[in-house]
Amino acid sequence: MAPMIEYEYQVLTFPRDVERSAVRQMLTDHAEYGHWELARTRLYMGGLRRVWLRRKIIRVQRTA
């Protein structure tokens, strides 16, 4: 039986006055350098934007 894939999550919150281009650049940087992937995006009334990023947790098996 294959083990379940485990993820760690990071939540980023952006206020309404942050431009979309700045948000996109920040998410691109997280994806490129931190190996994060986009899990969920939510836009709230009032313009607040919340983004959930995830990445796999790699467990090393002991061989000896």
Side-chain angles (χ1 to χ4, degrees):
M1 191 163 142
M4 295 282 297
I5 297 174
E6 293 183 52
Y7 291 99
E8 64 177 311
Y9 289 88
Q10 181 177 14
V11 180
L12 302 175
T13 304
F14 301 100
R16 65 179 290 163
D17 59 342
V18 177
E19 294 180 2
R20 289 178 64 187
S21 60
V23 172
R24 183 175 59 236
Q25 183 62 46
M26 187 175 290
L27 294 176
T28 301
D29 290 343
H30 274 79
E32 242 180 90
Y33 303 115
H35 303 288
W36 293 96
E37 62 183 31
L38 187 63
R40 182 178 180 186
T41 302
R42 185 98 190 231
L43 181 62
Y44 294 96
M45 286 180 58
L48 182 75
R49 182 177 289 120
R50 190 163 287 154
V51 178
W52 284 261
L53 302 173
R54 71 178 185 181
R55 65 180 170 188
K56 290 181 185 177
I57 298 175
I58 299 173
R59 304 265 185 226
V60 178
Q61 297 285 334
R62 188 173 184 172
T63 57

